[in-house]
Amino acid sequence: MDDHIVRTIARLVGVRAMACATTNLVNEANRRHGTAPTAAAALGQALTGGVLLGALLKVQQRMALKFEGDGPLQKIVVEADSYGAVRGYVTVPAMDLPKRQDEYDVTGAIGDGFLTVVKDLRLKNLYESVVPLTGGKIDADLTYYLNQSEQVPTVVQLGVDVGEDSRAAAAGGLLIQAIPPYDVEVARQLANRVQELPPVDALLKGGQSPEEILALVFADVPYKVLEQRPVHFKCQCSKERTARALIALGREEIQSLLETEGQAVVDCHFCHEQYLFNREELEELLKEMG
Ligand SMILES: [Zn+2]
């Protein structure tokens, strides 16, 4: 199944819902970062959460999610836009922990700390909010953030089925959100149904598509499919942007790279693409700086 997200709305009862399949993008991210299984599960969940929250944004808006705790994984950073592109990394990709109750201990990996959400809504200032991590899973943290900080009744469920080889057999997520004025009783019923359904990764693994998962959630509640869109791991780095970052380091730093290495190799945090600047290119940058 190709990675994609489906957005739906049930206008009569005031609920929007979306479901996504992210298996390929999770595998692409984990391959690029060389993550151990626990780190792979954590990054996969956070990226899938980014896909869902990104789909709540308007055109051209962007957001970043940062899970930062006192656990051995240290930090997960994910960036998403409204077009279905996400990228992300974990600080310690080799981090692995013993499983707990047959699940990767993502909660223990992150530890106690904070979730910071930064939104670029194309306004003058960035919009930032910080909530404490719940001590639960990543989907519990995102649910808490949306309910507390944005004050919108929402349920997020993420499912990432990662094997011992760090590869995901299935990954995806589900988000149900009330939109005022909503029918409190129906919103509660739908949220309960999400809890009762098998986890999203199990449904995807069983061959159900995001469309079919949403049909299970809504059951007899009438709803409309608004959009289906591919989602993917996509980094925004480029040689051009990397050159600008080098220039920002300053003249002395470039001089010193020239003298010691004779070149510069810049590795992108988000995707591990490497950009090589040879002697001539570095000298060109110096010239540009005047
Ligand atoms: Zn990159």
Side-chain angles (χ1 to χ4, degrees):
M1 192 187 313
D2 284 341
D3 288 352
H4 66 286
I5 186 163
V6 182
R7 294 197 301 120
T8 62
I9 191 159
R11 264 188 228 285
L12 279 177
V13 296
V15 170
R16 78 168 118 225
M18 44 183 99
C20 62
T22 55
T23 315
N24 300 320
L25 77 85
V26 166
N27 282 328
E28 158 114 27
N30 284 320
R31 179 185 61 75
R32 284 179 174 270
H33 291 288
T35 42
T38 308
L43 182 58
Q45 290 174 18
L47 285 166
T48 303
V51 166
L52 291 170
L53 269 62
L56 291 171
L57 296 171
K58 297 197 172 66
V59 171
Q60 290 201 325
Q61 296 180 344
R62 303 183 45 79
M63 75 185 313
L65 303 170
K66 186 173 72 176
F67 300 84
E68 198 165 14
D70 58 6
L73 191 62
Q74 295 181 19
K75 192 166 69 181
I76 313 174
V77 178
V78 164
E79 290 185 6
D81 65 17
S82 61
Y83 303 108
V86 279
R87 63 176 187 169
Y89 67 88
V90 294
T91 310
V92 189
M95 206 283 318
D96 206 15
L97 287 177
K99 280 188 173 181
R100 286 177 65 167
Q101 291 161 347
D102 215 32
E103 283 191 30
Y104 291 109
D105 187 10
V106 171
T107 307
I110 301 172
D112 290 328
F114 295 91
L115 164 61
T116 305
V117 180
V118 182
K119 286 192 188 177
D120 179 357
L121 304 177
R122 314 283 291 180
L123 301 170
K124 199 167 150 216
N125 297 313
L126 295 176
Y127 170 87
E128 181 179 299
S129 54
V130 182
V131 291
L133 294 172
T134 57
K137 297 179 183 175
I138 284 181
D139 46 13
D141 294 328
L142 294 175
T143 298
Y144 182 78
Y145 158 73
L146 289 162
N147 285 278
Q148 291 302 308
S149 194
E150 304 223 327
Q151 303 275 315
V152 194
T154 310
V155 179
V156 179
Q157 202 199 78
L158 303 171
V160 176
D161 180 1
V162 167
E164 300 294 335
D165 58 358
S166 297
R167 280 196 64 79
L174 191 57
L175 182 149
I176 312 267
Q177 185 168 71
I179 29 179
Y182 55 92
D183 182 323
V184 176
E185 191 44 42
V186 176
R188 189 178 302 142
Q189 273 174 25
L190 292 176
N192 286 342
R193 197 166 300 144
V194 170
Q195 308 298 347
E196 287 160 11
L197 284 175
V200 188
D201 50 319
L203 291 168
L204 289 166
K205 214 171 162 183
Q208 307 261 23
S209 64
E211 293 80 348
E212 289 166 330
I213 293 172
L214 288 167
L216 288 175
V217 172
F218 280 117
D220 51 357
V221 175
Y223 69 99
K224 195 175 139 196
V225 174
L226 295 177
E227 184 193 35
Q228 259 175 305
R229 178 191 279 281
V231 294
H232 43 265
F233 184 92
K234 185 174 177 227
C235 195
Q236 296 181 311
C237 64
S238 64
K239 188 142 185 186
E240 174 64 34
R241 280 175 191 243
T242 311
R244 271 183 268 150
L246 275 174
I247 288 173
L249 287 178
R251 206 174 177 83
E252 274 176 36
E253 192 67 28
I254 298 179
Q255 289 281 16
S256 132
L257 280 167
L258 266 172
E259 281 156 27
T260 54
E261 315 279 335
Q263 61 174 31
V265 180
V266 183
D267 179 81
C268 173
H269 273 326
F270 279 97
C271 71
H272 287 305
E273 201 64 42
Q274 293 199 329
Y275 295 95
L276 171 77
F277 292 81
N278 61 25
R279 181 173 292 282
E280 292 73 43
E281 288 169 313
L282 289 178
E283 282 165 353
E284 194 58 40
L285 289 183
L286 284 175
K287 253 188 242 161
E288 261 180 55
M289 293 167 77

